[in-house]
Structures are given as C-alpha cells and as structure tokens.
Amino acid sequence: VHLLIFCVANVACVCSYMMSSSIFANVPKGPAIEVFALTQAFKDDANTKKVNLSVGAYRTDVGEPWVLPVVRKTEISIAGDEAINHEYLPVTGLDTFTRAATELVLGADSVAIKEKRAFGVQTISGTGALRVAADFLLQQLKLNTVYYSNPTWENHHKIFFDCGFTKLHSYRYWDQDKRQLDLKGMLADLEQAPEGAVVILHACAHNPTGMDPTHEQWKQIADLVERKKLFPLFDSAYQGFASGSPDQDAWAIRYFVDRGFELFVCQSFAKNFGLYCERAGNLTVVQQSGATRDQIHSQLTLIVRGQYSNPPAYGARIVSKVLNTPELRKEWMDCIQLMSSRIREMRKQLRDKLVALGTPGNWDHIVNQIGMFSYTGLNESQVAVLIKDYHIYLLRTGRINMCGLNTGNIDYVAKAINAAVTGAPAAVENKL
C-alpha cells in the first residue's frame, strides 16, 4: 500500500512538473484585432437599434451581405461543369485568371502587356500579394525600407515587419484639422526617403480615409517617386468598387506605368466581386523589359512554394470566367455600378442630414471621399459615446464603413453623431 501511495504521488509530481513546464507556458496573449473584436461585440449586443460600421464588407440597403447575381450564376455553372476537377493549380495560379486580372488593372490596350513587360501571379487575395511582394523585394532586390501612409490599413506595417523589413516609416497623408489630403506633408516626408525605398500607394478609395489624390496631385507624387528613385507598390483593393468604373479607379496605376515605372500592383477581388472568403488575389509585375520576366517569375514561384505551395482555385475560376465572358463581364459591371452608387448616395444623405441637424463643423469631406470607408473626423471620445450610448460600432479612429449605412438607420446614425459631437445626453433607450 505504501509503495502504491509512493508511486501515485510521484506520478502526480511528474505530471504537475510537466504541466507547469509547458513549452507554451510563457506565450503572451496577443492584443485583439479591433475590427473583428467590434464585429463580435456587435453580434453579442441585444439592442435592436445597433449598427455595425466597422467591418469592411458591402451590405445591402437592408443591412445584409450580398452575393453578386453574376457571381452566383457563375458558381452554379462551375459546379455543374464535370470537366472541372480538384487537381492542384500551378504554383503561380490559374493562367486565365492572372492574365485577366493583369489586363483589368493595366488596361486591355496596355503597352506593357503588349510588350510582354507585365505578368501576374495568383495570390491569397491582396494580403497574400503584399506578403509575396515584400518577400521578393527584401530577398531579391535587398530593399529594406518601406513607407506607408499615415493612416493606412493596419496590415501594411505588420506584413512588411513580419517578413523582415527593419526600416518602416510612415508619410503624412490625412490632415485631421482640414479633413483632407495633406499632400504637402506627404511630399515632404517622401523627400526624406532614401533611394530604393518601397512606397505603398493606395490605387483608389484610400483605406481608411477614403480621400484620394487628384490626377494633378498624382502627377506630383510620380515626379517625386521618379526623382528620388523610389519603388512604387500599389495596393488595389477596390478597383471598380470605388467609382463604378474599373478604368477610372486604375488611373493612377496606368499613369505610373505609362511613365515607365517598374512597379508591383497587389490586387484583391474581395470587394469588387464580393469574394471575401475565397481569397482571390493577384500580384501584377511591371518591368522595364520582358527579358527579366523568367527570372522574376521563377523567384516568385519559389516564394509562393515556400509560403502556401499553390493558391486555391474556386475564387480564381469565378473571376476568370466573369472577366473572360463578355455577357458576364457586363453583368459584373452593372453590379459594381450598383454598389458604388449606393455608397455615394449614403455619403450624400449622411452629409445632408448632419448639416440639417446643425452639427458643428464642415462635413463636406464625407462626399469628397470615395469608396467604402470614410474618415469622419470624430475623435476617440466621440467614438466611445457612439459605441456605449448608441450601440453604433466603429473604429476608434472614427473610420466608418459607408456600406453599413442604409435608409433604415441613417437618421439614427446622423442624430447619434450630432449628439456625440455636441455632447447632448443620450435619449431614453436611444430613441432619437
């Protein structure tokens, strides 16, 4: 009996030691990702007037996710095609997709495409394109300095930091006081960038501000980038979704290409095709000469192989079929025009309602911005009031997703913003 007790005690001690000395014991808990935490808080909120203006996804006028009809039709046709199997795609993706994506962003008449100076590599949406691009720039070109706008999409810093860039800088972009683009500050900061620095530029519908440079301002930016010999990397997440015109939304990229820049374009089809979870993306490479294509392509192949081996087929097949089929492409154009026009209408209504309420300040920036997001100019304390008192969920920076607004909630949101700005007490049960 004593021996049994001794053995049991020793086993308990060993188990206790093993549990207390876990290799994972000192792993700290990471901070919550704000946009996903807000979405969860919204889901958990029982208030019937709650509004989610945080997550970057399109919503209909009744606040529901929307599967584009042309996408649904294409999904059904792909599912019914018995010639399609589930074999691996090539490492660099579906060729018909990468060609169509590259042509979409550069234009069907692009000289770079005709001269075989441009090609695409399929990636895990725009995020994957950024990571593949960053790895290539660091490993092959030995570039180690990157500049991104202040503010910018939070993942820009993390992606480049995680892949090994050690010189990460921001350039001024948003003037909070004037609620407009700070071009002077942007150019002054980029003037300090060393030769070969990577500059991340938002192709259209700047995230999070929604404020884009004018064509004339883009020309000034290009002049500086050329003179300083910087490397432009365009993040194109909203082509067609911003204005309703893919050509208009790609103007800056095409201007840089026409001027002879070598550059990368990171494309996402989450927003403009509604393929958020399918992760369809493309990295477009524009070179000075087609003679370097094979070398670049081979190194990108090795990077993809080491990261995720090869990309998923489903989303790419949908985009490929739509863009390569004239009647489907027309239906897609109708869809993006519908989405972009609804967003513009919400911008106009929100601005007009805030003005009608006499909300302090100038709210014209809401209609001067474009695309999904708006930097409202609200400060953190005002945001806290909206979340706590009115159950309106938005980022602490004051960024809102315009798609979260609809004819059913825009009066409530406008009145809540007015109350937060003026410091008026919350109405009983938030029935403004």
Side-chain angles (χ1 to χ4, degrees):
V1 173
H2 290 295
L3 179 61
L4 178 60
I5 294 173
F6 175 80
C7 290
V8 170
N10 274 278
V11 169
C13 288
V14 170
C15 290
S16 176
Y17 172 78
M18 292 177 64
M19 290 178 66
S20 65
S21 62
S22 168
I23 194 172
F24 305 113
N26 295 320
V27 175
K29 184 177 180 180
I33 299 173
E34 184 183 14
V35 67
F36 293 112
L38 285 169
T39 297
Q40 188 59 50
F42 169 81
K43 290 179 180 178
D44 295 340
D45 192 338
N47 190 284
T48 58
K49 299 181 77 66
K50 64 182 181 180
V51 180
N52 187 1
L53 302 180
S54 60
V55 67
Y58 182 78
R59 294 291 182 263
T60 66
D61 194 50
V62 294
E64 295 295 329
W66 189 48
V67 178
L68 277 61
V70 67
V71 167
R72 181 69 81 197
K73 178 195 295 188
T74 305
E75 287 181 303
I76 293 170
S77 68
I78 289 174
D81 187 348
E82 295 188 4
I84 294 176
N85 55 44
H86 296 289
E87 293 292 296
Y88 293 118
L89 289 183
V91 174
T92 53
L94 185 68
D95 188 51
T96 56
F97 165 76
T98 57
R99 287 203 308 267
T102 300
E103 182 179 294
L104 180 70
V105 75
L106 299 185
D109 58 350
S110 170
V111 175
I113 293 177
K114 292 177 180 179
E115 295 178 350
K116 301 187 184 304
R117 296 189 290 108
F119 68 92
V121 170
Q122 186 182 337
T123 58
I124 309 296
S125 200
T127 306
L130 283 160
R131 179 58 194 248
V132 171
D135 278 339
F136 179 90
L137 294 170
L138 182 67
Q139 295 173 17
Q140 297 301 318
L141 303 187
K142 310 305 178 186
L143 304 183
N144 190 33
T145 303
V146 62
Y147 280 74
Y148 44 80
S149 65
N150 179 21
T152 193
W153 181 49
E154 62 181 15
N155 237 5
H156 282 150
H157 176 91
K158 182 169 178 54
I159 289 167
F160 279 78
F161 177 81
D162 285 356
C163 85
F165 274 67
T166 59
K167 299 176 182 177
L168 298 98
H169 305 276
S170 64
Y171 56 84
R172 281 169 284 177
Y173 191 86
W174 173 252
D175 186 325
Q176 176 71 357
D177 294 331
K178 297 179 180 179
R179 299 182 183 180
Q180 65 184 26
L181 173 66
D182 182 4
L183 181 67
K184 183 178 179 180
M186 176 183 182
L187 295 177
D189 289 343
L190 290 180
E191 190 68 45
Q192 305 306 311
E195 180 178 330
V198 179
V199 181
I200 299 176
L201 301 167
H202 299 231
C204 65
H206 181 272
N207 179 6
T209 70
M211 187 65 72
D212 289 348
T214 64
H215 288 185
E216 184 56 41
Q217 289 171 333
W218 272 121
K219 292 176 183 178
Q220 294 180 60
I221 294 167
D223 288 342
L224 186 148
V225 171
E226 182 178 47
R227 178 169 51 79
K228 296 288 294 184
K229 298 182 180 178
L230 309 180
F231 185 87
L233 186 155
F234 281 94
D235 189 347
S236 179
Y238 306 98
Q239 187 185 0
F241 185 89
S243 70
S245 167
D247 293 331
Q248 182 174 325
D249 292 344
W251 186 91
I253 294 171
R254 295 178 188 180
Y255 175 74
F256 271 66
V257 172
D258 288 344
R259 283 189 52 161
F261 282 95
E262 294 185 296
L263 52 81
F264 283 169
V265 184
C266 299
Q267 295 170 261
S268 166
F269 293 89
K271 307 299 191 297
N272 55 10
F273 270 77
L275 294 172
Y276 303 97
C277 67
E278 303 305 339
R279 316 311 293 146
N282 186 63
L283 173 61
T284 287
V285 179
V286 178
Q287 318 143 80
Q288 191 177 79
S289 167
T292 55
R293 181 196 183 282
D294 290 346
Q295 297 94 306
I296 298 171
H297 190 273
S298 68
Q299 293 298 337
L300 290 172
T301 300
L302 294 174
I303 289 171
V304 171
R305 176 63 173 166
Q307 286 188 13
Y308 50 87
S309 191
N310 63 321
Y314 187 60
R317 283 173 175 157
I318 293 171
V319 174
S320 173
K321 186 162 187 174
V322 170
L323 292 181
N324 289 306
T325 308
E327 59 270 26
L328 295 179
R329 187 171 181 136
K330 182 182 182 305
E331 290 182 42
W332 173 67
M333 290 287 293
D334 292 339
C335 289
I336 58 176
Q337 287 165 10
L338 185 152
M339 290 189 287
S340 63
S341 63
R342 194 184 90 74
I343 294 171
R344 286 195 297 274
E345 178 60 24
M346 288 300 100
R347 286 186 179 279
K348 180 179 183 302
Q349 287 195 32
L350 180 60
R351 190 275 307 270
D352 291 351
K353 290 179 185 297
L354 290 173
V355 171
L357 288 166
T359 309
N362 187 316
W363 298 94
D364 287 346
H365 60 283
I366 292 177
V367 293
N368 293 334
Q369 296 163 345
I370 190 173
M372 175 176 285
F373 299 116
S374 172
Y375 236 43
T376 58
L378 297 171
N379 60 41
E380 285 196 39
S381 62
Q382 292 164 343
V383 169
V385 168
L386 289 173
I387 295 174
K388 179 178 179 293
D389 295 343
Y390 299 97
H391 307 269
I392 297 173
Y393 294 86
L394 66 161
L395 270 59
R396 63 179 180 273
T397 58
R399 189 202 82 172
I400 64 172
N401 174 14
M402 297 302 301
C403 305
L405 296 174
N406 55 59
T407 53
N409 65 25
I410 195 163
D411 283 319
Y412 176 73
V413 171
K415 290 175 181 178
I417 291 175
N418 180 68
V421 172
T422 60
V428 177
E429 296 180 357
N430 303 322
K431 293 180 179 179
L432 301 177

